[in-house]
């Protein structure tokens, strides 16, 4: 049996090695390391895959969120609502831009923003909502978009974990996550579902003016060479990463299917177990399983993690400390906020290895060992 990893980027690379190596060498030969034609080509291909008008490539998923928020022209003190149960990047940029992060609780089944909590958190200072499609499952976008419309708020979707995820609206319309709000963002961090061989990110929008502004912000606020109209930053996707991503994009659907079938295997293995809650799949979401995350009841999670580690089975806790309990947000008085579902989840979740290269014998071994411990 191959060693079990949380993500097996090496085996995945070896399957497309000749194509990738050739593309990387071609960039080196061209010496167009920055802004090569391949960056525009990849962006166009991604727009067409997502069915969105504009893709603005940038340096990483955190920058993508920052550029999106800079483009909205928000003022210090404006409130941005986001789930507490997410990766720190989502919330960090809000504080970085001197905006006020307002945390809301998530739904116990989907792990995504709870629309009821969202509506309660809205104040006259609220300007934007940042839902996160956590672990590859879509946030409840119809409810979120309705609330945003009613209160005249911007929606920025953090799609870093869910590229390729689809959302089905009540009328049957299907859209890819990241293209539903005013702006969407993603990350090409190597372990993400569309991972580069380094850092990368992108921003999506259907709004022409917003697209032009975000492009400008990502390039030193430059309108034409050496003319800088707004304060921007330097955030680029380099040509080598774009060349690799362009190849991997062609395999994305196949990668999603591989993740989904690994999840199906786990689902069956843990079905109806009284101590294990397997990932919920809302009918409106096509889950792309960036993570396969269990919620354990009456199981010593840390001991399970240790037990698995001794068997060379990695497992991770995403996330041990939620946003409202992070020291960096202490000045926003968030510690006093009550987030029962988030707190409940942070003490019970555990993510098992999930990626595109899992073999049946690995899945069998992992699930057998989890069950052995849980049934002890
Ligand atoms: C990975 C991630 C980011 C940040 O992406 P980077 O490319 O690492 O900057 C943002 N939000 C979420 C939810 C993520 O998982």
């Amino acid at each position: 049996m191959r060693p079990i990893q949380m993500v097996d980027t090496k085996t995945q690379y070896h399957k497309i090695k000749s194509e990738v190596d050739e593309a990387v060498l071609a960039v080196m030969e061209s010496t167009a390391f920055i802004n090569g034609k391949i960056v525009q080509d990849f962006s166009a291909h991604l727009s067409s895959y997502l069915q969105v008008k504009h893709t603005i490539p940038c340096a990483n998923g955190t920058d993508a969120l920052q550029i999106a928020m800079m483009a909205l022209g928000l003022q210090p003190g404006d409130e941005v609502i986001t789930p507490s149960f997410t990766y720190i990047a989502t919330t960090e940029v809000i504080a970085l831009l001197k905006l006020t992060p307002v945390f809301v609780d998530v739904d116990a089944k989907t792990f995504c923003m709870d629309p009821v909590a969202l509506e309660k958190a809205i104040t006259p200072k609220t300007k934007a909502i940042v839902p996160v499609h956590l672990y590859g499952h879509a946030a409840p976008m119809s409810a979120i978009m309705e609330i945003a419309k009613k209160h005249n708020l911007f929606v920025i979707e953090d799609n870093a974990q869910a590229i390729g995820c689809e959302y089905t609206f009540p009328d049957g319309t299907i859209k890819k996550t990241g293209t539903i709000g005013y702006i969407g963002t993603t990350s090409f961090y190597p372990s993400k579902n569309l991972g580069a061989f380094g850092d990368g990110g992108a921003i999506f929008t259907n709004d022409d003016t917003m697209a032009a502004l975000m492009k400008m912000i990502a390039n030193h606020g430059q309108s034409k060479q050496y003319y800088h109209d707004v304060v921007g930053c330097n955030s680029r996707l380099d040509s080598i990463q774009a060349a690799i991503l362009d190849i991997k994009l062609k395999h994305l659907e196949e990668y999603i299917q591989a993740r989904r079938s690994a999840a199906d295997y786990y689902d069956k293995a843990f079905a109806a177990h009284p101590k294990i809650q397997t990932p919920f799949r809302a009918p409106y979401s096509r889950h792309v399983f960036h993570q396969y995350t269990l919620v354990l009841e009456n199981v010593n999670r840390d001991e399970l993690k240790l037990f698995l580690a001794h068997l060379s089975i990695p497992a991770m806790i995403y996330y041990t400390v939620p946003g409202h309990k992070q020291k960096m947000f202490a000045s926003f008085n968030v510690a006093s906020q009550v987030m029962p579902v988030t707190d409940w989840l942070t003490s019970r979740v555990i993510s098992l290895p999930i990626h595109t290269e899992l073999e049946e014998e690995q899945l069998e071994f992992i699930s057998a060992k989890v069950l052995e411990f849980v049934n002890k």
Side-chain angles (χ1 to χ4, degrees):
M1 190 168 65
R2 233 183 358 234
I4 297 170
Q5 293 172 270
M6 280 305 282
V7 205
D8 188 350
T9 46
K10 190 163 184 169
T11 308
Q12 192 190 54
Y13 162 53
H14 283 165
K15 289 186 179 166
I16 52 171
K17 185 177 178 345
S18 58
E19 211 184 338
V20 167
D21 292 2
E22 197 184 315
V24 170
L25 288 171
V27 174
M28 303 222 275
E29 208 48 61
S30 78
T31 67
F33 299 117
I34 300 293
N35 245 332
K37 183 176 170 292
I38 187 65
V39 181
Q40 275 66 54
D41 288 350
F42 165 65
S43 303
H45 296 152
L46 188 55
S47 290
S48 130
Y49 171 77
L50 294 173
Q51 294 289 291
V52 72
K53 205 162 167 197
H54 303 280
T55 293
I56 298 112
C58 64
N60 56 66
T62 311
D63 275 11
L65 286 158
Q66 183 185 321
I67 293 161
M69 284 181 213
M70 285 170 81
L72 294 179
L74 307 183
Q75 298 304 311
D78 283 352
E79 293 176 359
V80 179
I81 302 178
T82 179
S84 179
F85 193 62
T86 178
Y87 182 55
I88 196 70
T90 319
T91 50
E92 179 187 37
V93 294
I94 300 170
L96 183 75
L97 296 174
K98 304 262 182 278
L99 309 171
T100 303
V102 173
F103 295 111
V104 293
D105 214 349
V106 292
D107 176 80
K109 276 153 80 185
T110 65
F111 311 140
C112 293
M113 185 181 267
D114 173 2
V116 177
L118 162 64
E119 194 149 28
K120 275 194 200 143
I122 293 171
T123 75
K125 284 187 175 170
T126 309
K127 290 286 154 42
I129 307 167
V130 185
V132 181
H133 304 299
L134 202 74
Y135 304 153
H137 187 286
M141 288 310 289
S142 0
I144 291 170
M145 292 308 287
E146 244 169 65
I147 293 167
K149 202 170 160 195
K150 188 168 134 196
H151 298 271
N152 198 22
L153 305 172
F154 297 116
V155 174
I156 303 173
E157 298 173 74
D158 182 346
N159 200 35
Q161 301 191 358
I163 198 131
C165 174
E166 286 169 350
Y167 187 90
T168 306
F169 285 85
D171 69 357
T173 312
I174 297 174
K175 281 190 184 170
K176 291 254 174 26
T177 54
T179 70
I180 301 164
Y182 190 40
I183 304 173
T185 65
T186 203
S187 162
F188 304 123
Y189 185 79
S191 64
K192 297 284 156 82
N193 284 22
L194 181 58
F197 288 13
D199 275 310
I203 316 165
F204 313 109
T205 187
N206 286 306
D207 185 299
D208 298 346
T209 314
M210 195 42 63
L213 179 57
M214 293 193 293
K215 214 169 161 180
M216 194 156 86
I217 290 173
N219 184 27
H220 301 291
Q222 178 171 285
S223 53
K224 62 179 183 183
Q225 201 171 23
Y226 305 129
Y227 288 81
H228 306 273
D229 298 0
V230 294
V231 174
C233 56
N234 171 23
S235 189
R236 297 183 278 240
L237 177 71
D238 69 71
S239 308
I240 288 181
Q241 299 309 332
I244 296 165
L245 288 166
D246 199 42
I247 293 165
K248 291 186 75 177
L249 178 59
K250 289 186 262 172
H251 296 277
L252 183 57
E253 276 305 309
E254 167 198 320
Y255 292 161
I256 290 171
Q257 289 316 323
R259 285 174 178 274
R260 284 174 58 85
S261 64
D264 288 344
Y265 187 98
Y266 283 137
D267 275 2
K268 274 196 205 106
F270 304 131
H273 196 289
K275 292 182 179 176
I276 303 174
Q277 177 189 314
T278 55
F280 179 69
R281 304 185 194 194
Y284 55 73
S285 172
R286 172 169 88 141
H287 205 320
V288 294
F289 288 101
H290 175 59
Q291 298 299 343
Y292 185 87
T293 304
L294 301 174
V295 185
L296 304 173
E297 204 55 66
N298 295 315
V299 175
N300 187 325
R301 178 181 64 175
D302 295 337
E303 271 177 27
L304 167 63
K305 193 167 179 280
L306 216 61
F307 172 81
L308 294 174
H310 285 312
L311 296 158
S312 300
I313 302 172
M316 296 288 282
I317 313 297
Y318 301 117
Y319 297 93
T320 30
V321 184
H324 73 287
K325 292 195 171 156
Q326 295 287 357
K327 252 193 212 163
M328 68 154 82
F329 300 124
S331 63
F332 297 102
N333 290 324
V334 289
S336 60
Q337 292 177 5
V338 187
M339 230 77 44
V341 180
T342 295
D343 291 340
W344 178 80
L345 286 173
T346 42
S347 64
R348 284 170 182 80
V349 288
I350 188 163
S351 300
L352 299 180
I354 189 139
H355 52 76
T356 58
E357 312 304 323
L358 276 167
E359 287 169 340
E360 187 147 335
E361 62 174 337
Q362 294 177 312
L363 289 162
E364 198 181 321
F365 183 66
I366 300 164
S367 31
K369 292 301 166 188
V370 169
L371 286 169
E372 183 185 316
F373 183 89
V374 169
N375 291 333
K376 241 186 337 211

